[in-house]
């Protein structure tokens, strides 16, 4: 992402220089315009890089400063591209006015994504059917959450309170959280935030797994290991009443019948492939050791790329994932929408059904890199499982 941003900045600067030359006839004004344009292009990126390089660690303040600097970059630089292209490509007034209009709309959309869409929680409902589901679990309701990223929430207490209210209103049998509760470190989960999340309720409990941001791999000089960071975060979740499944399986019982619930922990073997289109086969049998093959299985796995390995070994009937966020950018076109994520991931959003098994990728709640969501609204998924009709 960093290298792409640098390349984009170079391209924007070059476009700025050409556009100014087309507009300003006097060399004196040209110099001033070029200086102003280049400053707008460079300053936000310079602030972000400077903060990240001079800070001792990726603290909440550092990540928030970088996120706002990148937001400024999108507004001041990226949004200006349509106007500059229009200026470079044509001298006609209506073409340039059209470019200016597109730039203005882009700026409005970016601010709308930050002020409104970022917390415009969308409840998505799906019903799936399986002949393997025990009759006692017919109509079993799951609320799925993912990627809260507390460290970059702008108003954590208000936002978390609303999320918990919406989830509890569903009166679910289970809440499944698919990882990335924090951004960098366990201490982002402050006691007041934990107290709100502890109010999340379901008949069979709240279950979670760790995501890549939960493991502490983005820490630099905190003085604790990534293993210690993860264990502290898990302990905090347990104090909230959540049950964290780290490569383990348990069973939920109803009227003498049961289903299995497995959690796939994010680990070092997944780190190199967390943003890969494909994931090499991974042996997950240890996580399913306590599972009887006859049992209907629900699996929570942070990254959706693990589904290929799960499918190959027929390990889960329903897999719940997150991680992708639809890259927080989605146009409402087609069944899933259009997003840059579709070029980086084989499966990136919504419900997938293959070989009689299901995968649901939740678009997440929070945000990383920049504090906005354009089109990709924060999602709470409600899945009802029914016996085969």
């Amino acid at each position: 992402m960093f290298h792409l941003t640098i390349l984009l900045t170079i391209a924007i600067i070059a476009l700025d220089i050409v556009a100014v030359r087309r507009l300003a006839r006097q060399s004196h004004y040209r110099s001033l315009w070029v200086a102003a344009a280049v400053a707008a292009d460079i300053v936000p990126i310079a602030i972000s890089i400077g903060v990240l390089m001079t800070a001792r660690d990726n603290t909440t303040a550092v990540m928030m400063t970088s996120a706002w600097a990148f937001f400024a970059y999108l507004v001041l630089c990226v949004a200006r591209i349509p106007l500059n292209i229009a200026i470079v490509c044509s001298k006609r007034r209506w073409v340039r006015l059209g470019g200016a209009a597109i730039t203005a709309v882009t700026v409005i959309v970016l601010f709308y994504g930050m002020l409104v869409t970022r917390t415009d929680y969308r409840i998505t409902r799906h019903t799936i059917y399986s002949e393997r589901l025990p009759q006692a679990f017919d109509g079993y309701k799951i609320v799925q959450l993912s990627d809260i990223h507390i460290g970059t929430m702008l108003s954590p207490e208000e936002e978390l309170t609303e999320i918990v209210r919406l989830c509890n209103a569903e009166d679910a049998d289970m809440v499944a959280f698919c990882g990335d509760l924090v951004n960098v470190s366990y201490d982002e989960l402050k006691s007041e935030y934990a107290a709100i999340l502890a109010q999340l309720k379901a008949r069979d409990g709240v279950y979670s797994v760790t995501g890549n941001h939960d493991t502490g791999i983005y820490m630099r000089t905190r003085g604790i290991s990534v293993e210690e960071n993860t264990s502290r975060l898990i302990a905090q979740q347990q104090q909230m009443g959540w049950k964290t499944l780290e490569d383990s399986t348990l069973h939920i019982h109803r009227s003498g019948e049961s289903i299995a619930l497995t959690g796939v922990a994010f680990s070092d073997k997944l780190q190199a492939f967390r943003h890969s289109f494909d994931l090499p086969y991974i042996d997950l049998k240890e996580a399913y050791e306590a599972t009887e093959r006859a049992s209907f299985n629900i699996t929570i796995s942070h990254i959706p790329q693990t589904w290929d390995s799960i499918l190959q070994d027929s390990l889960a009937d329903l897999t719940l994932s997150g991680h992708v966020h639809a890259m927080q950018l989605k146009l409402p076109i087609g069944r899933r929408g259009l997003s840059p994520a579709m070029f980086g991931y084989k499966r990136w959003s919504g419900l997938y059904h293959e070989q009689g098994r299901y995968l649901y990728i939740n678009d997440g709640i929070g945000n990383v890199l920049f504090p906005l969501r354009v089109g990709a609204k924060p999602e709470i998924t409600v899945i009802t499982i029914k016996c085969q009709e």
Side-chain angles (χ1 to χ4, degrees), residues 274-289:
R274 68 193 186 281
H275 298 305
S276 299
F277 192 85
D278 288 306
L279 186 71
Y281 173 78
I282 292 181
D283 187 352
L284 299 170
K285 293 184 178 64
E286 180 182 350
Y288 293 87
E289 191 172 356

Side-chain angles (χ1 to χ4, degrees), residues 329-355:
L329 302 168
K330 183 191 287 188
L331 295 177
I333 299 173
R335 187 162 64 94
R336 297 186 199 282
L338 298 179
S339 166
M342 63 197 299
F343 302 106
Y345 297 85
K346 183 189 301 184
R347 307 174 188 95
W348 57 278
S349 178
L351 185 66
Y352 297 83
H353 184 209
E354 299 177 24
Q355 301 177 26

